[in-house]
Amino acid sequence: MSGAGDDRSVVAGSIRRLAVRASAWTTVSYAYGEGTRLVSSLVIAFLLARADNIAALGLIAYANILTRGLQMLSDVGLNMSVVQHARGEDEAFLRTAWSVQAIRGVVMWVLCVGLAWPWAWFFGEPSLVLVVPVVGFSVVLAGFASPGALLAERKLRGGLLAALEMVPQTAAVLVMLVWASIEATVWALASATVVRMLVRMVLSHALAPPSGFRFVFDREALGSILRFGAWIFLSTALTFGTMELPALTIGKAFDAETLAIFSLALMYAMLPSQAVVRLARQALFPALSAVVNRGGDLGGALARVQGPLRTFGGFASAALFASGPWFVLAVYPDKLWDASWMLLGLAWVPLLRILSECSRSPLLARGNARATAIGQGLKLVSLGVLLPLGIWRFGLHGAVAAAVASEAVQYVAYAVQAERQGLRTLRGDALALFGAVLAGVAGLAASVWVWSVGGPALGLEGRVLAGVALLGGLVVPAAVYARGAWRSVRAVRGAGNGSEVERMGGSG
């Protein structure tokens, strides 16, 4: 018995060390990618404002909604199948998944071309007839990336995955900024999407073997992919509705400039949760799947990562609530300042999405893709009811409230299903939410005091005063979460050194 326990401890320790390394690379690539994205978005905002063309941000948002929609409405979880399936490293299985991916990309682009005119007519924006096919060509490039990129996720090759994110992002930003400095139009924004996927495709074939454009259709592999992907397809189709319905509705109910402002606020609200979603996809989900496939203790493995994720999510939401509005006022052109009040409501999206991911990933690791579809379906229903009602009664304020309420509905759906499978999450999640609200409200009170009393007393005004208020709002959340953050860092360092292995699931 002790020998079996020792074997499980070794396996758990190996998985944990791989997950920690992958998490570190994911964090680095995400921080770099989002850092360049934020800086470039700020520069682009001023270039477009100078050219009186803020509406270009709305136009590219319209095109992205359709492109992402086609991608998500045809998603059968190819990368997740390679990660989760026992045959994921088999050549026939991997090549079959890649073949489906490549064909899917071509089909989606053909649909983009066909839908461009109806899409342009629906929003009353004739330029979308050309913009949509150009942006949509990126899905063809994404589909022909090396099959080795799929395998890299399974093997937790964080360095390779980071390179496939950071290098293309750099190239895309450089092209976009140079183009926009010459001519600040929607084409500068569209070029970034195409360049990013082109560079990623070429780089993947250079760095991620096996490479090459060889089509394989293994009947057993294809059947397994499609069976697992059926629920993933439904889930991602519902995800498209939940992600894009607010922007789609606002874009139709108002105009391109209003959509640009809402998209800016939503971008900042989504940043922290996107980091965790990427971390879950590239590190947490593969690690938890490995624990399940090797007979480890899933509940114990999950418990070891929930604390740091709750700490990060709580701080992100509290800090965004207390300081996000001042950030917009301090650094963005005045034409985008309405995004500041939107951030007050959207600030709670990061924590809700992170808590949702803590329940969703272990459910998927057990092969329960149905649970994801249920959560997304309930979120979509709540959006479909609350969004038009909120806009009708309260305008943009109602739209923001509906977006946050739908995130809460999805979280409850995932957490309840996790509890039913013996994964205890609700009590810790409730404490995390309560603490984040207290820290956020206290931080906002401090920032308002700086804005109304402290700043004027020092003779500060305008953007400088907003920047000082931003710092004042960060003080309280930083103080509240400093200890938890330090404990999380120590836990991760301990995991990387191989300690605490027995508590990672070795006693399963």
Side-chain angles (χ1 to χ4, degrees):
M1 293 295 291
S2 62
D6 291 342
D7 289 343
R8 286 194 296 269
S9 294
V10 171
V11 168
S14 176
I15 294 169
R16 187 169 174 82
R17 285 190 291 273
L18 283 172
V20 168
R21 284 197 293 270
S23 299
W25 276 114
T26 299
T27 301
V28 169
S29 66
Y30 179 81
Y32 178 82
E34 293 305 326
T36 55
R37 180 187 175 194
L38 293 180
V39 172
S40 64
S41 73
L42 180 58
V43 176
I44 284 290
F46 276 99
L47 290 174
L48 292 174
R50 186 179 64 185
D52 196 22
N53 194 20
I54 289 294
L57 293 171
L59 289 176
I60 202 68
Y62 288 136
N64 286 334
I65 289 172
L66 179 59
T67 304
R68 284 195 299 263
L70 291 173
Q71 288 179 300
M72 298 178 77
L73 292 173
S74 62
D75 186 9
V76 290
L78 297 173
N79 61 329
M80 299 180 74
S81 292
V82 171
V83 169
Q84 191 267 343
H85 200 276
R87 287 185 60 201
E89 298 182 31
D90 180 75
E91 176 78 8
F93 190 97
L94 183 63
R95 288 284 178 182
T96 299
W98 177 84
S99 300
V100 174
Q101 170 185 279
I103 293 173
R104 169 175 166 258
V106 174
V107 172
M108 284 190 296
W109 184 66
V110 172
L111 290 173
C112 274
V113 174
L115 292 172
W117 183 85
W119 198 250
W121 172 83
F122 179 75
F123 289 107
E125 296 288 352
S127 60
L128 290 176
V129 173
L130 295 177
V131 174
V132 166
V134 171
V135 173
F137 189 70
S138 63
V139 302
V140 177
L141 300 172
F144 279 90
S146 169
L150 295 172
L151 188 60
E153 291 192 29
R154 178 184 176 94
K155 292 187 172 183
L156 295 171
R157 297 181 63 187
L160 174 58
L161 293 172
L164 293 178
E165 294 294 331
M166 295 166 67
V167 176
Q169 177 77 2
T170 302
V173 167
L174 289 175
V175 170
M176 179 179 65
L177 292 181
V178 170
W179 192 322
S181 65
I182 298 171
E183 186 179 18
T185 67
V186 69
W187 295 110
L189 307 177
S191 69
T193 303
V194 178
V195 168
R196 179 173 178 269
M197 287 304 173
L198 175 62
V199 174
R200 187 181 190 277
M201 183 195 71
V202 173
L203 194 64
S204 70
H205 286 280
L207 300 181
S211 186
F213 303 109
R214 184 162 61 88
F215 289 85
V216 173
F217 294 96
D218 180 274
R219 180 174 297 181
E220 181 183 350
L222 185 60
S224 298
I225 290 169
L226 295 180
R227 281 192 298 273
F228 180 77
W231 286 109
I232 298 297
F233 165 76
L234 178 58
S235 173
T236 51
L238 295 170
T239 300
F240 164 68
T242 58
M243 284 180 60
E244 307 297 349
L245 188 57
L248 190 64
T249 306
I250 288 171
K252 180 61 177 176
F254 299 97
D255 53 31
E257 286 198 11
T258 302
L259 177 58
I261 295 169
F262 177 80
S263 298
L264 175 66
L266 189 62
M267 178 185 73
Y268 281 104
M270 297 289 282
L271 278 178
S273 57
Q274 284 176 336
V276 173
V277 168
R278 180 177 295 186
L279 180 67
R281 178 172 60 85
Q282 296 185 357
L284 181 59
F285 169 63
L288 294 179
S289 295
V291 170
V292 171
N293 289 334
R294 300 180 186 183
D297 176 14
L298 180 62
L302 177 64
R304 303 303 299 167
V305 299
Q306 279 180 314
L309 290 177
R310 285 169 176 157
T311 297
F312 175 74
F315 172 75
S317 282
L320 196 61
F321 183 78
S323 298
W326 309 113
F327 175 78
V328 174
L329 296 177
V331 302
Y332 276 94
D334 56 2
K335 292 183 178 181
L336 294 169
W337 279 359
D338 276 349
S340 60
W341 67 259
M342 295 181 189
L343 273 175
L344 286 174
L346 295 173
W348 304 108
V349 169
L351 180 55
L352 289 170
R353 286 175 61 86
I354 288 169
L355 295 180
S356 293
E357 198 61 44
C358 285
S359 295
R360 177 178 179 268
S361 289
L363 291 170
L364 283 175
R366 284 180 171 171
N368 188 3
R370 177 174 176 269
T372 298
I374 291 174
Q376 293 288 359
L378 290 174
K379 180 181 178 181
L380 183 59
V381 170
S382 65
L383 268 177
V385 173
L386 297 176
L387 193 58
L389 182 62
I391 291 176
W392 174 59
R393 294 289 296 174
F394 305 106
L396 278 173
H397 292 83
V400 171
V404 178
S406 67
E407 294 288 347
V409 169
Q410 180 182 247
Y411 158 69
V412 171
Y414 286 150
V416 168
Q417 291 180 92
E419 288 278 335
R420 288 177 178 175
Q421 294 198 16
L423 302 169
R424 303 304 175 194
T425 61
L426 282 172
R427 183 176 180 275
D429 290 351
L431 291 174
L433 281 165
F434 181 71
V437 170
L438 287 182
V441 171
L444 181 63
S447 66
V448 170
W449 181 89
V450 171
W451 174 265
S452 59
V453 179
L458 297 174
L460 302 177
E461 59 182 21
R463 295 184 185 274
V464 175
L465 178 55
V468 175
L470 183 158
L471 296 175
L474 281 177
V475 170
V476 174
V480 169
Y481 286 97
R483 183 179 179 185
W486 175 242
R487 291 174 60 186
S488 298
V489 169
R490 291 183 61 188
V492 170
R493 289 176 62 187
N497 292 330
S499 63
E500 306 179 15
V501 168
E502 291 77 8
R503 287 184 284 176
M504 170 63 185
S507 60

